[in-house]
């Protein structure tokens, strides 16, 4: 995923002509195996892909991707390696457990290798040949997983060896249905029903909270690499949040939340329908994080999920639409797609190959600027966002930001957002639209431009401070955007949506 993220960023021309902006999280280490070839295919050079044209290869269903990823994960190990290591010797050592299908190295608080074997039995062999470390001053808690540490038997003899690896830049489905079938099935032997002895609690929510509390304690005390654990048990959807330090992933763990799984499937479908979707979501979320619009700490901030809903809604509002509404996906659904969870209709078409591609050919550069203009002037005081119908609707309450939950339609997924945070988002969106429109193609200085300018907090704050002396921000930006719209001589419709920002060198 990290490799794909870097590939997306390169398409936006992040750097100015002379200055470069680097914000690396990891340094991935490439290998000569299939991973390097896959990465090369993912990172196409800018301009090599025509907007709106999609690969004709049949797209996989969400359930198919889940099965493949679970099976792939069962054949994969994460290994913490010495800083100096020979890739050839490393692979030869691991090959005694079975053939290796793929591998790559990366740096994150040390050197790590992600190794995918051809067979699941290889992981069992690797576990069998591993041991619990013996520490001189501390006691180790025995824990068997697919996360290993590689040690050298005689480190002194390897001190002169140079690293030979090359540096480069990288919920399961519920069992409830099976449980119901088995629980209510008639027994073929006698009129008996065997049940487990259990403890009871007043509600299912309390049961979920207790289960997550115990799981959280186990992860905190026994899970290698799991740090920063938070128990957020009083939220509407109780969860345990933690970070896996070696991989850099932040994880939200919950139980018995089938609607969340359907939401994940829906986001997968929208992301797979058009190559511009994930790129735009990634850029907007990175922009929001840069300007502290989002936070990993629960509070009055806009969440990444809410931002994703806003991007989807915006793309549904384009002419022609880039993404279909949820109601249209529901109308295309067959009997096999029918899904009712706790009284909520979660039905939508799961076969991506039956969804007609969009005829919209607008560029990513145009979509980014239009996103900021659209929400910089959105009537948040009276309208709500609804991806089921893809149109603005009157808000049912006075929440500063109202985004209808796509499945639990009576809920607002952005109910936590405060008025001050909402105003901050609007101001930053207007400033960003203004900056993107004011780019000078002939600029010869070293200042960042295009998307890079939006990812530097100082650029927007200085621009805001300089121009706010003349008139109030809201009035100034509104007049600027109005003049921009009136001053555009090129009609997007007449140029087939190929108008771009000044982000080409």
């Amino acid at each position: 995923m990290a490799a794909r993220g870097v590939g997306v960023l390169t398409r936006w021309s992040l750097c100015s002509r002379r200055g470069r902006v680097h914000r690396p999280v990891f340094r991935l280490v490439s290998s000569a195996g299939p991973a390097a070839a896959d990465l090369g295919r993912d990172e196409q050079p800018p301009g090599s892909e025509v907007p709106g044209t999609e690969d004709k290869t049949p797209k996989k269903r969400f359930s198919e991707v889940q099965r493949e990823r679970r099976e792939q994960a069962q054949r994969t190990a994460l290994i913490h390696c010495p800083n100096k290591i020979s890739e050839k010797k490393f692979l030869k050592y691991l090959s005694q457990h079975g053939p290796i299908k793929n591998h790559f190295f990366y740096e994150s608080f040390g050197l790590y290798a992600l190794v995918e074997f051809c067979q699941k039995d290889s992981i069992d062999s690797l576990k069998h040949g591993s041991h619990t470390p013996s520490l001189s001053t501390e006691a180790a808690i025995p824990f068997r997983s697919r996360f290993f540490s590689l040690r050298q038997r005689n480190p002194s003899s390897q001190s002169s060896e140079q690293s030979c690896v090359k540096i480069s830049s990288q919920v399961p489905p519920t069992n409830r249905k099976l449980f119901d079938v088995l629980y209510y099935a008639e027994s073929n032997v006698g009129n008996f029903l065997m049940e487990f002895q259990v403890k009871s609690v007043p509600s299912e929510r309390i049961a979920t909270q207790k289960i997550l509390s115990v799981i959280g304690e186990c992860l905190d005390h026994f899970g290698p690499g799991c740090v920063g654990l938070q128990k957020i048990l009083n939220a509407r959807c109780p969860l345990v949040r933690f970070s896996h330090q070696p991989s850099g992933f932040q994880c939200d763990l919950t139980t018995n939340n089938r609607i969340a799984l359907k939401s994940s499937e829906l986001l997968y479908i929208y992301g797979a329908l058009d190559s511009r979707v994930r790129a735009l979501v990634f850029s907007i979320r990175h922009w929001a994080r840069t300007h502290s619009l989002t936070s990993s700490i629960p509070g009055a901030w806009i969440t990444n999920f809410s931002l994703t809903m806003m991007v989807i809604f915006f793309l549904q509002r384009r002419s022609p639409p880039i993404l279909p509404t949820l109601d249209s996906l529901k109308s295309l659904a067959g009997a096999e797609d029918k899904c009712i969870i706790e009284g909520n209709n979660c039905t939508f078409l799961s076969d991506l190959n039956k969804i007609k591609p969009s005829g919209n050919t607008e560029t990513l550069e145009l979509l980014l600027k239009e996103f900021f203009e659209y929400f910089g002037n959105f009537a948040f005081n009276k309208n709500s966002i609804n991806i089921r119908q893809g149109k603005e609707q009157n808000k049912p309450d006075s929440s500063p930001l109202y985004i209808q939950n796509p499945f639990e339609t009576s809920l607002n997924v952005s109910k936590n957002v405060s008025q001050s945070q909402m105003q901050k988002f609007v101001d930053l969106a207007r400033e960003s639209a203004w900056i993107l429109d004011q780019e000078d193609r002939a600029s010869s200085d070293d200042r960042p431009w295009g998307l890079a300018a939006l990812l530097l907090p100082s650029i927007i704050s200085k621009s805001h401070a300089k121009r706010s002396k003349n008139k109030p921000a809201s009035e100034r930006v509104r007049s600027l955007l109005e003049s921009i719209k009136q001053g555009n001589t090129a009609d997007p419709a007449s140029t087939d949506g190929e108008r771009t920002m000044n982000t080409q060198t």
Side-chain angles (χ1 to χ4, degrees):
M1 293 300 295
R4 292 180 182 272
V6 173
V8 167
L9 284 174
T10 58
R11 297 178 50 146
W12 286 95
S13 302
L14 279 178
C15 307
S16 66
R17 290 184 176 85
R18 296 186 180 87
R20 290 182 176 272
V21 179
H22 296 286
R23 295 177 61 89
V25 177
F26 306 108
R27 287 198 306 164
L28 295 183
V29 183
S30 65
S31 69
D38 291 341
L39 181 59
R41 286 194 294 269
D42 286 340
E43 294 191 2
Q44 298 295 328
S48 63
E49 195 173 285
V50 178
T53 60
E54 302 298 325
D55 188 0
K56 300 302 182 182
T57 305
K59 295 182 174 67
K60 299 176 182 177
R61 292 177 181 237
F62 183 66
S63 57
E64 294 176 308
V65 175
Q66 280 187 307
R67 284 194 297 270
E68 290 181 4
R69 291 293 182 262
R70 283 199 297 269
E71 194 275 335
Q72 186 181 36
Q74 292 170 351
R75 294 186 281 105
T76 302
L78 177 62
I79 303 174
H80 185 198
C81 303
N83 289 331
K84 295 181 179 180
I85 186 174
S86 165
E87 182 176 5
K88 183 177 180 180
K89 292 181 180 179
F90 172 74
L91 294 177
K92 182 178 179 181
Y93 169 75
L94 288 180
S95 294
Q96 65 180 315
H97 299 288
I100 296 172
K101 182 177 181 180
N102 201 356
H103 75 282
F104 68 87
F105 295 85
Y106 68 92
E107 287 186 345
S108 173
F109 301 97
L111 181 65
Y112 291 86
L114 196 64
V115 181
E116 179 187 355
F117 289 93
C118 294
Q119 301 169 349
K120 189 165 61 174
D121 292 344
S122 298
I123 296 294
D124 295 330
S125 174
L126 183 59
K127 287 182 178 180
H128 183 73
S130 302
H131 66 278
T132 301
S134 177
L135 306 178
S136 57
T137 59
E138 298 175 331
I141 298 174
F143 192 91
R144 293 172 64 88
S145 68
R146 285 178 279 111
F147 182 16
F148 302 87
S149 289
L150 182 67
R151 297 286 185 265
Q152 296 171 335
R153 293 182 183 274
N154 188 3
S156 60
S157 65
Q158 305 290 335
S159 59
S160 61
E161 185 174 273
Q162 298 296 318
S163 176
C164 296
V165 296
K166 298 178 181 180
I167 303 293
S168 74
S169 301
Q170 139 84 40
V171 187
T174 179
N175 291 326
R176 184 60 180 267
K177 184 176 181 180
L178 177 60
F179 175 86
D180 289 342
V181 171
L182 294 176
Y183 184 85
Y184 294 107
E186 292 185 5
S187 173
N188 291 327
V189 182
N191 187 25
F192 299 102
L193 178 64
M194 188 68 71
E195 291 183 340
F196 290 105
Q197 284 287 323
V198 297
K199 285 188 174 182
S200 59
V201 291
S203 68
E204 185 175 345
R205 176 180 174 84
I206 294 177
T208 298
Q209 290 173 327
K210 290 184 176 295
I211 292 170
L212 287 174
S213 180
V214 173
I215 292 175
E217 291 294 322
C218 291
L219 286 171
D220 197 21
H221 294 300
F222 309 133
C226 297
V227 298
L229 186 135
Q230 297 174 278
K231 296 180 183 179
I232 309 174
L233 303 180
N234 291 323
R236 190 185 66 83
C237 177
L239 60 90
V240 170
R241 174 170 293 167
F242 63 94
S243 296
H244 187 249
Q245 193 175 57
S247 64
F249 291 135
Q250 184 181 85
C251 307
D252 287 347
L253 177 65
T254 187
T255 64
N256 197 31
N257 192 349
R258 292 182 291 161
I259 288 183
L261 188 62
K262 292 300 291 185
S263 297
S264 297
E265 181 178 2
L266 180 64
L267 295 184
Y268 165 79
I269 289 175
Y270 278 136
L273 283 177
D274 193 289
S275 61
R276 293 166 289 181
V277 178
R278 288 171 179 162
L280 190 59
V281 169
F282 177 85
S283 301
I284 296 298
R285 285 169 58 158
H286 191 73
W287 167 82
R289 182 177 61 186
T290 298
H291 300 292
S292 301
L293 288 169
T294 56
S295 174
S296 59
I297 303 173
W301 300 275
I302 298 176
T303 64
N304 281 327
F305 182 71
S306 292
L307 285 174
T308 303
M309 291 291 102
M310 294 172 77
V311 172
I312 291 173
F313 181 77
F314 166 73
L315 295 177
Q316 291 174 338
R317 300 285 295 167
R318 304 308 292 165
S319 180
I322 294 177
L323 292 179
T325 64
L326 180 53
D327 279 349
S328 66
L329 293 179
K330 177 185 174 183
S331 66
L332 295 172
E336 70 279 6
D337 297 313
K338 185 176 181 180
C339 180
I340 306 295
I341 301 176
E342 300 172 2
N344 299 293
N345 194 331
C346 303
T347 302
F348 56 84
L349 180 66
S350 59
D351 188 349
L352 285 83
N353 300 291
K354 295 181 180 179
I355 303 174
K356 185 179 179 180
S358 169
N360 186 300
T361 58
E362 291 174 312
T363 63
L364 278 167
E365 292 86 354
L366 174 63
L367 291 174
L368 181 66
K369 187 171 78 71
E370 293 287 333
F371 175 88
F372 291 130
E373 288 191 3
Y374 181 78
F375 284 112
N377 291 278
F378 190 86
F380 290 106
N381 61 321
K382 63 177 182 179
N383 290 335
S384 65
I385 294 171
N386 178 358
I387 70 166
R388 292 203 70 94
Q389 299 180 14
K391 62 182 181 181
E392 303 170 11
Q393 294 181 321
N394 291 333
K395 288 198 301 184
D397 62 39
S398 59
S399 299
L401 175 61
Y402 197 102
I403 303 176
Q404 185 188 77
N405 187 302
F407 299 119
E408 299 175 277
T409 55
S410 62
L411 299 179
N412 174 13
V413 302
S414 55
K415 187 177 180 180
N416 63 298
V417 180
S418 66
Q419 182 60 50
S420 60
Q421 286 296 312
M422 189 67 253
Q423 189 59 50
K424 180 180 179 181
F425 170 85
V426 171
D427 290 343
L428 285 169
R430 291 174 175 176
E431 291 290 332
S432 298
W434 188 89
I435 289 174
L436 290 176
D437 199 82
Q438 296 300 309
E439 292 297 345
D440 183 6
R441 295 178 185 271
S443 176
S444 59
D445 56 31
D446 290 339
R447 67 183 179 87
W449 57 283
L451 181 58
L454 303 185
L455 301 184
L456 295 178
S458 59
I459 298 295
I460 289 185
S461 60
K462 289 179 180 178
S463 172
H464 179 84
K466 180 179 179 180
R467 288 177 284 114
S468 61
K469 297 179 181 179
N470 300 326
K471 60 173 70 174
S474 58
E475 181 183 347
R476 170 179 48 74
V477 175
R478 188 180 297 108
S479 62
L480 281 172
L481 292 177
E482 201 60 41
S483 64
I484 289 170
K485 293 178 180 178
Q486 294 176 359
N488 285 334
T489 56
D491 182 2
S494 64
T495 58
D496 199 26
E498 293 298 329
R499 181 163 54 103
T500 62
M501 297 185 301
N502 301 331
T503 54
Q504 304 299 320
T505 57

